[in-house]
Structures are given as structure tokens and as C-alpha cells.
Amino acid sequence: NGSMVATKYYNVNNFAKETDKTFVFDQPTLATVWTIPHLLNKFPSVTVVNDANEIVYAQTLYQSLDQVRINFAIPLKGKAYLN
């Protein structure tokens, strides 16, 4: 019935779950399109920062479970954080 008895011993295992996958993409040169192959096998959330570490908003296109394309109105360099 799922009840535990005070006079018995039980072996309880805590199986660690897989942690979420992440990927950091570095774009060192100015570009209006960043194509990011990431091999995360999912459609990750994407946060982009410029070279001054300021969050930038852009068009994000999921080309597959393993590739994202980000389009900017002006050329930028910086990082994309995927998770």
C-alpha cells in the first residue's frame, strides 16, 4: 500500500537527473547574421549580448534541433547563450 513501517529498514536511492544542456557561442567579428551549430538536440532559449555585455534583441530562427540563426539589423559582435 506504499506505507513505511517504523521497524523496517528501507534502501532509498536518489538517482541524479541529467542537467540541462547549455552552449556559449562567441562571435568575434561584426556580422548581421550569426549561424550557430550547437548540437544540443533541442530548440534552446537564446540570450544575445554585444561586446559591451548588453542584452541585444534580434530575430532568432531555429533551423533544426542543432542549429540556430540570429539576424540583426546592424552588424554586431558578442556572445549567444543557449540553454
Side-chain angles (χ1 to χ4, degrees):
N1 67 5
S3 298
M4 298 181 97
V5 179
T7 58
K8 294 199 175 206
Y9 293 97
Y10 298 91
N11 183 7
V12 179
N13 290 316
N14 182 9
F15 294 99
K17 293 183 179 180
E18 181 180 335
T19 59
D20 196 21
K21 301 176 206 171
T22 62
F23 181 78
V24 178
F25 175 78
D26 183 35
Q27 176 66 43
T29 59
L30 293 171
T32 56
V33 176
W34 298 3
T35 301
I36 305 172
H38 54 73
L39 301 177
L40 297 175
N41 195 34
K42 64 178 184 175
F43 299 116
S45 64
V46 179
T47 302
V48 177
V49 296
N50 62 17
D51 57 343
N53 211 32
E54 301 166 324
I55 293 176
V56 176
Y57 299 97
Q59 180 187 41
T60 302
L61 301 169
Y62 295 97
Q63 297 183 306
S64 72
L65 288 173
D66 292 316
Q67 187 163 295
V68 175
R69 188 175 84 197
I70 304 173
N71 297 320
F72 301 98
I74 60 171
L76 293 175
K77 58 183 174 177
K79 293 183 186 280
Y81 297 94
L82 287 63
N83 66 5

Coordinates of all heavy atoms in Angstrom, one line a residue:
N1 N 0.8 -1.2 0.0 CA 0.0 0.0 0.0 C 0.9 1.3 0.0 O 0.3 2.4 0.1 CB -1.0 0.0 1.2 CG -0.3 0.1 2.5 OD1 0.9 0.3 2.6 ND2 -1.2 -0.1 3.6
G2 N 2.2 1.1 0.0 CA 3.0 2.3 0.0 C 3.4 2.9 1.3 O 4.1 3.8 1.4
S3 N 2.9 2.3 2.4 CA 3.2 2.8 3.7 C 4.6 2.2 4.2 O 4.9 1.1 3.9 CB 2.1 2.4 4.7 OG 0.9 2.9 4.3
M4 N 5.3 3.0 5.0 CA 6.6 2.6 5.5 C 6.3 2.2 7.0 O 5.5 2.8 7.7 CB 7.6 3.7 5.4 CG 7.9 4.0 4.0 SD 9.2 5.3 3.8 CE 10.6 4.3 3.6
V5 N 7.0 1.2 7.5 CA 6.8 0.7 8.8 C 8.1 1.1 9.6 O 9.2 0.9 9.2 CB 6.6 -0.8 8.8 CG1 6.5 -1.3 10.2 CG2 5.5 -1.2 7.9
A6 N 7.9 1.6 10.8 CA 9.0 2.1 11.6 C 10.0 1.1 12.0 O 11.2 1.4 12.2 CB 8.4 2.8 12.9
T7 N 9.6 -0.2 12.1 CA 10.5 -1.2 12.5 C 11.3 -1.9 11.4 O 12.0 -2.8 11.6 CB 9.7 -2.3 13.3 OG1 8.7 -2.8 12.4 CG2 9.2 -1.7 14.6
K8 N 11.1 -1.4 10.2 CA 11.8 -2.0 9.0 C 12.8 -1.0 8.4 O 12.7 0.2 8.7 CB 10.8 -2.3 7.9 CG 9.9 -3.4 8.3 CD 9.2 -4.1 7.1 CE 8.4 -5.3 7.6 NZ 8.3 -6.2 6.6
Y9 N 13.8 -1.5 7.7 CA 14.8 -0.7 7.0 C 14.5 -0.6 5.5 O 14.1 -1.6 4.9 CB 16.2 -1.2 7.3 CG 16.6 -1.1 8.7 CD1 16.5 -2.2 9.6 CD2 17.2 0.1 9.2 CE1 16.9 -2.1 10.9 CE2 17.6 0.2 10.5 CZ 17.4 -0.9 11.4 OH 17.8 -0.8 12.7
Y10 N 14.7 0.5 5.0 CA 14.4 0.7 3.5 C 15.7 1.3 2.9 O 16.3 2.1 3.4 CB 13.2 1.7 3.3 CG 12.0 1.1 3.9 CD1 11.6 1.4 5.2 CD2 11.1 0.3 3.2 CE1 10.4 0.9 5.8 CE2 10.0 -0.2 3.7 CZ 9.6 0.1 5.0 OH 8.5 -0.4 5.5
N11 N 15.9 0.9 1.7 CA 17.0 1.4 0.9 C 16.4 2.4 -0.1 O 15.6 2.0 -1.0 CB 17.7 0.3 0.1 CG 18.9 0.8 -0.7 OD1 19.3 2.0 -0.6 ND2 19.5 -0.1 -1.4
V12 N 16.7 3.7 0.0 CA 16.1 4.7 -0.9 C 17.2 5.3 -1.7 O 18.2 5.8 -1.2 CB 15.4 5.8 0.0 CG1 14.9 6.9 -1.0 CG2 14.3 5.2 0.8
N13 N 17.1 5.2 -3.0 CA 18.1 5.7 -3.9 C 17.6 7.0 -4.5 O 16.5 7.2 -4.9 CB 18.4 4.8 -5.0 CG 19.1 3.5 -4.5 OD1 20.1 3.6 -3.8 ND2 18.7 2.4 -5.0
N14 N 18.5 8.0 -4.6 CA 18.3 9.2 -5.3 C 19.1 9.3 -6.6 O 20.3 9.5 -6.5 CB 18.6 10.4 -4.4 CG 18.3 11.7 -5.1 OD1 17.6 11.8 -6.1 ND2 18.7 12.8 -4.4
F15 N 18.5 9.0 -7.7 CA 19.2 9.0 -9.0 C 19.2 10.4 -9.5 O 18.2 11.1 -9.7 CB 18.5 8.1 -10.0 CG 18.5 6.6 -9.6 CD1 17.4 6.1 -9.0 CD2 19.6 5.9 -9.8 CE1 17.4 4.7 -8.6 CE2 19.6 4.5 -9.4 CZ 18.5 4.0 -8.8
A16 N 20.5 10.9 -9.7 CA 20.6 12.2 -10.2 C 20.1 12.3 -11.7 O 20.4 11.5 -12.5 CB 22.1 12.6 -10.2
K17 N 19.4 13.3 -11.9 CA 18.9 13.6 -13.3 C 19.9 14.3 -14.1 O 20.7 15.0 -13.6 CB 17.6 14.4 -13.2 CG 16.4 13.7 -12.6 CD 15.2 14.5 -12.6 CE 14.0 13.8 -12.0 NZ 12.8 14.5 -12.0
E18 N 19.8 14.1 -15.4 CA 20.7 14.8 -16.3 C 20.5 16.3 -16.2 O 19.3 16.8 -16.2 CB 20.5 14.3 -17.7 CG 21.4 15.0 -18.7 CD 21.1 14.5 -20.2 OE1 20.6 13.4 -20.3 OE2 21.4 15.2 -21.1
T19 N 21.6 17.1 -16.1 CA 21.4 18.5 -16.1 C 21.1 19.0 -17.5 O 21.4 18.4 -18.5 CB 22.7 19.2 -15.6 OG1 23.8 18.8 -16.4 CG2 23.0 18.8 -14.1
D20 N 20.5 20.2 -17.5 CA 20.1 20.8 -18.8 C 21.4 21.2 -19.6 O 22.4 21.6 -19.0 CB 19.3 22.0 -18.6 CG 18.6 22.5 -19.9 OD1 18.4 21.6 -20.8 OD2 18.2 23.6 -19.9
K21 N 21.3 21.0 -20.9 CA 22.5 21.3 -21.8 C 22.5 22.8 -22.1 O 21.5 23.4 -22.2 CB 22.4 20.5 -23.1 CG 22.3 19.0 -22.9 CD 22.1 18.4 -24.2 CE 21.4 17.0 -24.1 NZ 21.0 16.5 -25.4
T22 N 23.7 23.3 -22.1 CA 24.0 24.7 -22.5 C 25.1 24.8 -23.5 O 25.9 23.9 -23.7 CB 24.3 25.5 -21.3 OG1 25.5 25.1 -20.7 CG2 23.2 25.5 -20.2
F23 N 25.1 26.0 -24.2 CA 26.2 26.2 -25.2 C 26.4 27.7 -25.2 O 25.4 28.5 -25.2 CB 25.7 25.7 -26.5 CG 26.8 25.9 -27.6 CD1 27.9 25.1 -27.7 CD2 26.6 26.9 -28.5 CE1 28.8 25.2 -28.7 CE2 27.5 27.1 -29.6 CZ 28.6 26.3 -29.7
V24 N 27.7 28.1 -25.3 CA 28.0 29.6 -25.4 C 28.7 29.7 -26.8 O 29.7 29.0 -27.1 CB 28.9 30.1 -24.3 CG1 29.3 31.5 -24.5 CG2 28.3 29.9 -22.9
F25 N 28.2 30.6 -27.6 CA 28.7 30.9 -28.9 C 29.4 32.3 -28.9 O 28.8 33.3 -28.4 CB 27.6 30.9 -30.0 CG 28.0 31.3 -31.3 CD1 28.7 30.4 -32.1 CD2 27.8 32.6 -31.8 CE1 29.1 30.7 -33.4 CE2 28.2 32.9 -33.1 CZ 28.9 32.0 -33.9
D26 N 30.6 32.4 -29.3 CA 31.4 33.6 -29.4 C 31.4 34.1 -30.9 O 31.9 33.3 -31.7 CB 32.7 33.4 -28.8 CG 33.5 34.7 -28.8 OD1 33.0 35.8 -28.5 OD2 34.8 34.6 -28.9
Q27 N 31.0 35.3 -31.1 CA 31.1 35.9 -32.5 C 32.1 37.0 -32.3 O 31.8 38.1 -31.9 CB 29.7 36.4 -32.9 CG 29.8 37.2 -34.2 CD 30.1 36.2 -35.4 OE1 29.6 35.1 -35.5 NE2 31.0 36.7 -36.3
P28 N 33.4 36.8 -32.7 CA 34.4 37.8 -32.5 C 34.5 38.9 -33.5 O 35.1 39.9 -33.3 CB 35.7 37.0 -32.6 CG 35.4 35.8 -33.5 CD 33.9 35.5 -33.2
T29 N 33.8 38.7 -34.7 CA 33.8 39.8 -35.7 C 32.4 40.3 -36.0 O 31.4 39.6 -35.7 CB 34.4 39.2 -37.0 OG1 33.6 38.1 -37.5 CG2 35.8 38.8 -36.9
L30 N 32.3 41.5 -36.5 CA 31.0 42.1 -36.8 C 30.3 41.3 -37.9 O 30.8 40.9 -38.9 CB 31.1 43.5 -37.2 CG 31.7 44.5 -36.2 CD1 32.0 45.9 -36.9 CD2 30.7 44.7 -35.1
A31 N 29.0 41.0 -37.6 CA 28.2 40.3 -38.6 C 26.7 40.6 -38.4 O 26.3 40.8 -37.2 CB 28.4 38.8 -38.5
T32 N 25.9 40.6 -39.4 CA 24.4 40.8 -39.3 C 23.7 39.4 -39.1 O 22.6 39.4 -38.7 CB 23.8 41.5 -40.5 OG1 24.2 40.8 -41.7 CG2 24.4 43.0 -40.6
V33 N 24.4 38.4 -39.5 CA 23.8 37.0 -39.3 C 24.8 36.1 -38.6 O 26.0 36.1 -38.9 CB 23.5 36.4 -40.7 CG1 23.0 34.9 -40.5 CG2 22.5 37.2 -41.5
W34 N 24.3 35.5 -37.5 CA 25.1 34.5 -36.8 C 24.5 33.2 -37.0 O 23.3 33.0 -36.6 CB 25.2 34.8 -35.3 CG 25.8 36.1 -34.9 CD1 26.3 37.1 -35.7 CD2 26.0 36.6 -33.5 NE1 26.8 38.1 -34.9 CE2 26.6 37.9 -33.6 CE3 25.6 36.0 -32.3 CZ2 26.9 38.6 -32.4 CZ3 25.9 36.8 -31.1 CH2 26.6 38.0 -31.2
T35 N 25.2 32.2 -37.5 CA 24.7 30.9 -37.7 C 25.4 30.1 -36.6 O 26.6 30.0 -36.6 CB 25.0 30.3 -39.1 OG1 24.3 31.2 -40.0 CG2 24.4 28.9 -39.2
I36 N 24.6 29.4 -35.8 CA 25.2 28.8 -34.6 C 24.8 27.3 -34.6 O 23.7 26.9 -34.3 CB 24.6 29.4 -33.3 CG1 24.9 30.9 -33.3 CG2 25.2 28.8 -32.0 CD1 24.2 31.7 -32.2
P37 N 25.8 26.4 -34.9 CA 25.6 25.0 -34.7 C 25.9 24.7 -33.3 O 27.0 25.0 -32.7 CB 26.6 24.4 -35.7 CG 27.7 25.4 -35.8 CD 27.0 26.7 -35.6
H38 N 25.0 24.0 -32.6 CA 25.1 23.8 -31.1 C 25.1 22.4 -30.6 O 25.5 22.1 -29.5 CB 24.1 24.7 -30.4 CG 22.7 24.5 -30.8 ND1 22.0 23.4 -30.4 CD2 21.9 25.3 -31.5 CE1 20.8 23.5 -30.9 NE2 20.7 24.6 -31.6
L39 N 24.5 21.5 -31.4 CA 24.4 20.0 -31.0 C 23.7 19.8 -29.7 O 24.0 18.8 -29.0 CB 25.8 19.4 -31.0 CG 26.6 19.5 -32.3 CD1 28.0 18.9 -32.2 CD2 25.8 18.8 -33.5
L40 N 22.8 20.6 -29.3 CA 22.0 20.4 -28.1 C 20.8 19.5 -28.3 O 20.2 19.1 -27.3 CB 21.5 21.8 -27.5 CG 22.6 22.8 -27.1 CD1 22.1 24.1 -26.7 CD2 23.5 22.2 -26.0
N41 N 20.5 19.2 -29.5 CA 19.3 18.4 -29.8 C 18.0 18.9 -29.2 O 17.2 18.1 -28.7 CB 19.6 16.9 -29.4 CG 18.6 16.0 -30.0 OD1 18.2 16.2 -31.2 ND2 18.3 14.9 -29.3
K42 N 17.8 20.2 -29.3 CA 16.6 20.8 -28.8 C 16.5 22.3 -29.4 O 17.5 22.8 -30.0 CB 16.5 20.9 -27.3 CG 17.6 21.7 -26.7 CD 17.5 21.7 -25.2 CE 18.5 22.7 -24.5 NZ 18.3 22.7 -23.1
F43 N 15.4 22.9 -29.2 CA 15.2 24.3 -29.6 C 15.5 25.1 -28.3 O 14.6 25.3 -27.5 CB 13.8 24.6 -30.1 CG 13.4 23.8 -31.3 CD1 12.4 22.8 -31.3 CD2 14.1 24.0 -32.5 CE1 12.1 22.1 -32.4 CE2 13.8 23.3 -33.6 CZ 12.8 22.4 -33.6
P44 N 16.7 25.6 -28.1 CA 17.1 26.2 -26.9 C 16.6 27.7 -26.8 O 16.3 28.3 -27.8 CB 18.6 26.2 -26.9 CG 18.9 26.3 -28.4 CD 17.9 25.5 -29.0
S45 N 16.5 28.2 -25.5 CA 16.3 29.6 -25.4 C 17.6 30.3 -25.7 O 18.7 29.7 -25.5 CB 15.9 29.9 -23.9 OG 16.9 29.6 -23.0
V46 N 17.5 31.5 -26.2 CA 18.7 32.2 -26.7 C 18.8 33.6 -26.1 O 17.8 34.3 -26.2 CB 18.7 32.3 -28.2 CG1 20.0 33.0 -28.7 CG2 18.7 30.9 -28.9
T47 N 19.9 33.9 -25.5 CA 20.1 35.3 -25.0 C 21.4 35.8 -25.7 O 22.4 35.1 -25.6 CB 20.3 35.3 -23.5 OG1 19.2 34.8 -22.8 CG2 20.6 36.7 -23.0
V48 N 21.3 37.0 -26.3 CA 22.5 37.5 -27.0 C 22.9 38.8 -26.3 O 22.1 39.6 -25.9 CB 22.1 37.9 -28.5 CG1 23.2 38.5 -29.2 CG2 21.6 36.6 -29.2
V49 N 24.3 38.9 -26.2 CA 24.9 40.1 -25.6 C 25.9 40.6 -26.6 O 26.5 39.8 -27.3 CB 25.5 39.9 -24.2 CG1 24.5 39.5 -23.2 CG2 26.6 38.9 -24.3
N50 N 26.0 41.9 -26.7 CA 27.0 42.5 -27.6 C 28.4 42.5 -26.9 O 28.5 42.0 -25.8 CB 26.6 43.9 -28.0 CG 26.4 44.9 -26.9 OD1 26.9 44.7 -25.8 ND2 25.7 46.0 -27.1
D51 N 29.4 43.1 -27.5 CA 30.7 43.1 -27.0 C 30.9 44.0 -25.7 O 31.9 43.9 -25.0 CB 31.8 43.4 -28.0 CG 31.5 44.8 -28.7 OD1 30.4 45.3 -28.6 OD2 32.5 45.3 -29.3
A52 N 29.8 44.8 -25.4 CA 29.8 45.6 -24.2 C 29.0 44.8 -23.1 O 28.7 45.4 -22.0 CB 29.2 46.9 -24.4
N53 N 28.6 43.6 -23.4 CA 27.9 42.7 -22.5 C 26.5 43.2 -22.2 O 25.9 43.0 -21.1 CB 28.7 42.5 -21.2 CG 28.4 41.1 -20.6 OD1 28.1 40.1 -21.3 ND2 28.4 41.0 -19.3
E54 N 25.9 43.9 -23.2 CA 24.5 44.4 -23.1 C 23.6 43.4 -23.8 O 23.9 43.0 -24.9 CB 24.4 45.8 -23.7 CG 25.3 46.8 -23.0 CD 25.4 48.1 -23.8 OE1 25.4 48.0 -25.0 OE2 25.5 49.1 -23.1
I55 N 22.4 43.1 -23.3 CA 21.5 42.2 -23.9 C 21.0 42.9 -25.2 O 20.6 44.1 -25.2 CB 20.3 41.9 -23.0 CG1 20.8 41.0 -21.9 CG2 19.2 41.1 -23.8 CD1 19.8 40.6 -20.9
V56 N 21.0 42.1 -26.3 CA 20.5 42.6 -27.6 C 19.3 41.7 -28.1 O 19.3 40.5 -27.9 CB 21.7 42.5 -28.6 CG1 21.2 42.8 -30.0 CG2 22.9 43.3 -28.2
Y57 N 18.3 42.4 -28.6 CA 17.2 41.7 -29.2 C 17.3 41.5 -30.7 O 17.6 42.5 -31.4 CB 15.9 42.4 -28.8 CG 15.7 42.5 -27.3 CD1 16.1 43.6 -26.6 CD2 15.2 41.4 -26.6 CE1 16.0 43.6 -25.2 CE2 15.1 41.4 -25.2 CZ 15.5 42.6 -24.5 OH 15.4 42.6 -23.1
A58 N 17.0 40.3 -31.2 CA 17.2 40.0 -32.6 C 16.2 39.0 -33.0 O 15.6 38.3 -32.1 CB 18.6 39.6 -32.8
Q59 N 16.1 38.7 -34.3 CA 15.3 37.7 -34.8 C 16.0 36.4 -34.7 O 17.2 36.2 -35.1 CB 15.0 37.9 -36.3 CG 14.1 36.9 -36.9 CD 13.9 37.0 -38.4 OE1 14.9 37.4 -39.1 NE2 12.7 36.8 -38.9
T60 N 15.4 35.4 -34.0 CA 16.0 34.1 -33.8 C 15.2 33.1 -34.6 O 14.0 32.9 -34.5 CB 16.0 33.7 -32.4 OG1 16.7 34.7 -31.6 CG2 16.7 32.3 -32.1
L61 N 15.9 32.3 -35.5 CA 15.3 31.3 -36.3 C 15.9 30.0 -36.0 O 17.1 29.8 -36.1 CB 15.5 31.6 -37.8 CG 15.0 33.0 -38.3 CD1 15.5 33.3 -39.7 CD2 13.5 32.9 -38.3
Y62 N 15.0 29.0 -35.7 CA 15.5 27.6 -35.4 C 15.5 26.9 -36.7 O 14.5 26.6 -37.3 CB 14.6 27.0 -34.4 CG 14.7 27.6 -33.0 CD1 13.7 28.6 -32.7 CD2 15.7 27.4 -32.1 CE1 13.8 29.2 -31.4 CE2 15.8 28.0 -30.9 CZ 14.8 28.9 -30.6 OH 14.8 29.5 -29.3
Q63 N 16.7 26.6 -37.2 CA 16.9 25.9 -38.5 C 16.8 24.4 -38.3 O 16.4 23.7 -39.3 CB 18.2 26.3 -39.1 CG 18.2 27.8 -39.5 CD 19.5 28.2 -40.2 OE1 20.6 27.9 -39.7 NE2 19.3 28.8 -41.3
S64 N 17.1 23.9 -37.1 CA 16.9 22.5 -36.8 C 17.1 22.4 -35.3 O 17.3 23.4 -34.6 CB 18.0 21.7 -37.5 OG 19.3 21.9 -36.9
L65 N 17.0 21.1 -34.8 CA 17.3 20.9 -33.3 C 18.7 21.2 -32.9 O 19.0 21.3 -31.7 CB 16.9 19.5 -33.0 CG 15.5 19.1 -32.9 CD1 15.3 17.6 -32.7 CD2 14.7 19.8 -31.9
D66 N 19.6 21.4 -33.9 CA 21.0 21.6 -33.6 C 21.6 22.8 -34.3 O 22.8 23.0 -34.3 CB 21.8 20.4 -34.1 CG 21.5 19.1 -33.3 OD1 21.4 19.3 -32.0 OD2 21.3 18.0 -33.8
Q67 N 20.7 23.7 -34.8 CA 21.3 25.0 -35.4 C 20.3 26.1 -35.3 O 19.1 25.9 -35.5 CB 21.6 24.7 -36.9 CG 22.3 25.9 -37.5 CD 23.0 25.6 -38.8 OE1 24.0 24.8 -38.8 NE2 22.6 26.2 -39.8
V68 N 20.8 27.3 -34.9 CA 20.1 28.5 -34.8 C 20.7 29.6 -35.6 O 21.9 29.6 -35.7 CB 20.1 29.0 -33.3 CG1 19.4 30.3 -33.1 CG2 19.4 28.0 -32.4
R69 N 19.9 30.4 -36.2 CA 20.4 31.6 -37.0 C 19.8 32.8 -36.3 O 18.6 32.9 -36.0 CB 20.0 31.5 -38.4 CG 20.7 32.6 -39.2 CD 20.4 32.5 -40.7 NE 19.1 33.1 -40.9 CZ 18.4 33.0 -42.0 NH1 18.8 32.2 -43.0 NH2 17.3 33.6 -42.2
I70 N 20.7 33.8 -36.0 CA 20.2 35.0 -35.4 C 20.5 36.2 -36.4 O 21.6 36.3 -37.0 CB 21.0 35.3 -34.1 CG1 20.8 34.1 -33.2 CG2 20.5 36.6 -33.5 CD1 21.6 34.2 -31.9
N71 N 19.4 37.0 -36.7 CA 19.5 38.1 -37.7 C 19.5 39.4 -36.9 O 18.6 39.6 -36.1 CB 18.4 38.0 -38.7 CG 18.4 36.8 -39.5 OD1 19.5 36.3 -40.0 ND2 17.3 36.2 -39.8
F72 N 20.4 40.3 -37.2 CA 20.5 41.6 -36.6 C 20.2 42.7 -37.6 O 20.6 42.5 -38.8 CB 21.9 41.8 -36.0 CG 22.2 40.8 -34.9 CD1 23.0 39.7 -35.2 CD2 21.8 40.9 -33.6 CE1 23.4 38.8 -34.3 CE2 22.1 40.0 -32.6 CZ 22.9 38.9 -33.0
A73 N 19.7 43.8 -37.2 CA 19.5 45.0 -38.1 C 20.8 45.6 -38.4 O 21.0 46.2 -39.5 CB 18.6 46.0 -37.4
I74 N 21.8 45.6 -37.5 CA 23.1 46.1 -37.8 C 24.2 45.1 -37.4 O 23.9 44.2 -36.6 CB 23.4 47.4 -36.9 CG1 23.3 47.1 -35.5 CG2 22.4 48.5 -37.4 CD1 23.7 48.2 -34.5
P75 N 25.4 45.2 -38.0 CA 26.4 44.2 -37.7 C 26.8 44.3 -36.2 O 27.0 45.4 -35.6 CB 27.6 44.6 -38.5 CG 27.0 45.4 -39.6 CD 25.8 46.1 -39.0
L76 N 26.9 43.1 -35.5 CA 27.3 43.1 -34.1 C 28.3 42.0 -33.9 O 28.4 41.0 -34.7 CB 26.1 42.8 -33.2 CG 25.0 43.8 -33.1 CD1 23.8 43.3 -32.3 CD2 25.5 45.1 -32.5
K77 N 29.0 42.1 -32.8 CA 29.9 41.0 -32.3 C 29.5 40.8 -30.8 O 29.1 41.8 -30.2 CB 31.4 41.2 -32.5 CG 31.9 42.5 -31.9 CD 33.4 42.6 -32.3 CE 34.0 44.0 -31.8 NZ 35.4 44.1 -32.0
G78 N 29.7 39.6 -30.3 CA 29.4 39.4 -28.9 C 29.2 37.9 -28.7 O 30.0 37.1 -29.3
K79 N 28.3 37.5 -27.8 CA 28.1 36.1 -27.5 C 26.6 35.8 -27.5 O 25.7 36.7 -27.2 CB 28.6 35.8 -26.0 CG 30.1 36.0 -25.9 CD 30.5 35.6 -24.5 CE 32.0 35.8 -24.3 NZ 32.9 34.8 -24.8
A80 N 26.3 34.5 -27.7 CA 24.9 34.0 -27.6 C 25.0 32.9 -26.6 O 25.9 32.0 -26.7 CB 24.5 33.5 -29.0
Y81 N 24.1 32.9 -25.7 CA 24.0 31.9 -24.6 C 22.7 31.1 -24.9 O 21.6 31.6 -25.0 CB 23.9 32.5 -23.2 CG 25.1 33.3 -22.9 CD1 25.2 34.7 -23.1 CD2 26.2 32.7 -22.3 CE1 26.3 35.4 -22.8 CE2 27.3 33.4 -21.9 CZ 27.4 34.8 -22.2 OH 28.5 35.5 -21.8
L82 N 22.9 29.8 -25.1 CA 21.8 28.9 -25.4 C 21.7 27.9 -24.3 O 22.6 27.3 -23.8 CB 22.2 28.1 -26.7 CG 22.1 28.9 -28.0 CD1 23.1 30.0 -28.1 CD2 22.2 27.9 -29.2
N83 N 20.4 27.7 -23.9 CA 20.1 26.6 -22.9 C 18.7 26.1 -23.1 O 18.0 26.5 -23.9 CB 20.4 27.1 -21.5 CG 19.4 28.2 -21.1 OD1 18.5 28.5 -21.8 ND2 19.6 28.7 -19.9

